[in-house]
Amino acid sequence: MSTAIRNGFSLKAYEPSDLDAVIDIEYQCYQYPWSRNIFQQCYTMGYSMQLALSCNIISGYCVMSTAMREAHILNLCVAPSLQNQGIATSLMHHVINEAHKRNCQRMFLEVRISNIAAQRLYSRLGFNQIGERRNYYRRGFGREDALVLAKELVSLYQPE
Ligand SMILES: CC(C)(COP(=O)(O)OP(=O)(O)OC[C@H]1O[C@@H](n2cnc3c(N)ncnc32)[C@H](O)[C@@H]1OP(=O)(O)O)[C@@H](O)C(=O)NCCC(=O)NCCS
């Protein structure tokens, strides 16, 4: 079942039959894409895997794990032809809400130091830099650092 977010756009939970469409976007967006196996493992692990649909065509996705009251964004991607229309923003609002429901206190993620578009998006959503991971990503023949960003979530959890 999908949820409408705006004219022509909706969100729905990932199902295994969506893998081909997701992999197609993944390969368009990343020089070092995730394999099919990684998406299958995320699904098996029960991670939150949210899809954005544009006129019923998969246009983006977000993968999030939650553990120990922390949420970790593992992947966020929008098809190049549909970027800059608010799809990633809608996906992030949805997973932030999901993390609230799972009683997470904090959300964090890594982003390439060169990925200015993603950093602007996360900054707009209230993420702050809390650290760096040296040589975290592959880049050409070398490595690239990651920024570690975090956003504090207002917890719904009420201790006894
Ligand atoms: C980073 C990424 C996920 C952003 O996706 P997106 O759907 O383009 O993001 P949004 O549209 O929500 O926001 C992007 C910009 O579009 C603007 N925008 C949002 N809705 C808009 C609309 N209706 N019309 C025009 N612009 C709009 C936003 O204000 C934002 O501007 P900014 O430059 O100030 O941030 C996308 O570029 C991507 O998939 N990149 C490759 C993979 C990647 O790098 N993922 C992140 C890994 S950490």
Side-chain angles (χ1 to χ4, degrees):
M1 202 185 81
S2 65
T3 314
I5 48 174
R6 281 211 319 269
N7 279 352
F9 292 108
S10 57
L11 299 176
K12 84 168 189 86
Y14 171 91
E15 295 166 63
S17 56
D18 298 318
L19 183 56
D20 284 348
V22 165
I23 281 285
D24 186 42
I25 297 173
E26 179 77 11
Y27 274 74
Q28 288 181 56
C29 284
Y30 293 116
Q31 200 179 353
Y32 303 102
W34 278 10
S35 64
R36 301 176 73 86
N37 193 31
I38 295 178
F39 283 101
Q40 284 162 340
Q41 282 177 15
C42 289
Y43 183 73
T44 306
M45 297 287 285
Y47 292 170
S48 167
M49 299 173 76
Q50 198 62 41
L51 304 182
L53 308 179
S54 173
C55 300
N56 285 326
I57 307 281
I58 294 171
S59 53
Y61 46 88
C62 184
V63 180
M64 173 180 74
S65 68
T66 54
M68 309 286 285
R69 302 184 64 199
E70 284 201 331
H72 189 183
I73 301 298
L74 304 174
N75 200 337
L76 173 71
C77 204
V78 173
S81 61
L82 292 163
Q83 290 177 1
N84 296 312
Q85 297 182 42
I87 294 176
T89 303
S90 295
L91 278 165
M92 285 299 296
H93 282 308
H94 182 90
V95 296
I96 288 168
N97 198 31
E98 182 69 29
H100 272 294
K101 287 186 191 156
R102 295 185 184 198
N103 285 319
C104 293
Q105 285 184 319
R106 194 156 84 135
M107 177 174 279
F108 70 100
L109 56 86
E110 289 85 14
V111 58
R112 283 180 186 269
I113 212 157
S114 62
N115 193 346
I116 303 301
Q119 287 170 39
R120 283 171 62 100
L121 169 76
Y122 297 133
S123 165
R124 212 165 14 84
L125 289 165
F127 284 81
N128 296 303
Q129 185 182 339
I130 57 161
E132 276 186 38
R133 296 197 204 283
R134 303 283 296 173
N135 301 321
Y136 189 72
Y137 294 109
R138 283 167 65 193
R139 183 174 190 174
F141 293 109
R143 309 288 302 177
E144 177 174 0
D145 297 345
L147 303 180
V148 184
L149 308 184
K151 176 181 170 71
E152 301 303 318
L153 305 176
V154 178
S155 178
L156 304 176
Y157 174 74
Q158 295 292 331
E160 295 286 316

